[in-house]
Amino acid sequence: MTIHRLRQCVQSFTVLADRSSGNPEQMIADGKPILRELISHDDWLPEFAAEANNEHYRQYLLHCDPAERFSIVSFVWGPGQKTPIHDHTVWGLVGMLRGKESSTRYARIEHALVATNEDELLPGEIDVVSPDSGDIHLVKNGMTDQPSISIHVYGANIAGVDRSVFDPKTGKAKPFRSQYNNSVLPNIWAI
Ligand SMILES: [Fe+2]
């Protein structure tokens, strides 16, 4: 079993959240190497949490801290799938595990949202979202012919956070909450 990699990630983030009192800057800075270690191997993600869906991208909860200081989620993108333009309102780390992801950042200029830059994320690479340094983006699968998978760590139980999706032309926000697609969690204690 290789699920110990996820267990170690959970334990390290828990220790970090204790040590930093959940301070976002510290969670981002010291959380990056923890996530980097997890995504440097592609042999641990349970099959159910790697399954693409033909209709819509999937979000599988891998772990939520009992005090909801952080959550770890696998995002599985089918070919051509993408998110609406959205925010997070909490810090987030996006680590690429498999395939390729493209993230377009948006800035608010007067009422409209304007795309500022597009980044590609390859396996082993990490992107950061944060209310302090840029929180609005659109993410899509960078592969046209196969699924892509990224592992996200957020500074909250992300499905419990009130967030927004945006109309790019008007900049108008619409309330939004993400949902987890699984009803069971990986057994991180399996040997
Ligand atoms: Fe996002």
Side-chain angles (χ1 to χ4, degrees):
M1 295 292 279
T2 51
I3 198 72
H4 69 275
R5 301 196 201 286
L6 179 59
R7 178 167 73 240
Q8 281 161 2
C9 177
V10 167
Q11 290 176 322
S12 296
F13 266 103
T14 304
V15 169
L16 172 57
D18 286 345
R19 178 164 59 78
S20 68
S21 301
N23 174 275
E25 274 179 31
Q26 267 181 281
M27 293 298 289
I28 290 170
D30 296 347
K32 270 188 192 176
I34 300 171
L35 180 58
R36 191 170 290 122
E37 172 64 24
L38 180 68
I39 60 168
S40 68
H41 303 272
D42 186 8
D43 59 2
W44 58 269
L45 185 66
E47 263 179 47
F48 80 82
E51 262 178 34
N53 174 274
N54 286 339
E55 302 293 317
H56 204 268
Y57 64 90
R58 289 301 209 199
Q59 300 168 72
Y60 301 102
L61 178 66
L62 302 178
H63 176 78
C64 183
D65 173 58
E68 299 184 73
R69 298 172 298 179
F70 66 93
S71 54
I72 306 174
V73 182
S74 77
F75 268 64
V76 184
W77 312 90
Q81 291 177 349
K82 64 179 183 182
T83 67
I85 301 171
H86 64 277
D87 67 6
H88 310 83
T89 78
V90 295
W91 63 266
L93 296 172
V94 178
M96 205 67 213
L97 184 71
R98 208 176 290 176
K100 188 166 70 172
E101 196 172 286
S102 153
S103 166
T104 305
R105 299 274 183 167
Y106 285 81
R108 188 174 284 285
I109 296 178
E110 295 181 357
H111 292 298
L113 285 173
V114 178
T116 54
N117 61 308
E118 187 172 334
D119 293 316
E120 275 195 347
L121 213 59
L122 296 170
E125 294 181 336
I126 292 177
D127 194 15
V128 177
V129 291
S130 155
D132 297 326
S133 64
D135 193 33
I136 300 177
H137 69 171
L138 176 155
V139 181
K140 64 182 177 194
N141 188 352
M143 310 291 282
T144 54
D145 56 351
Q146 66 181 75
S148 292
I149 301 178
S150 51
I151 307 299
H152 300 205
V153 185
Y154 297 103
N157 170 19
I158 194 64
V161 176
D162 288 321
R163 302 158 62 190
S164 300
V165 293
F166 299 92
D167 182 308
K169 289 203 178 75
T170 63
K172 203 173 168 217
K174 205 169 75 175
F176 160 75
R177 270 195 185 200
S178 56
Q179 283 187 338
Y180 303 131
N181 294 114
N182 51 325
S183 55
V184 293
L185 295 176
N187 179 5
I188 61 172
W189 300 102
I191 296 170

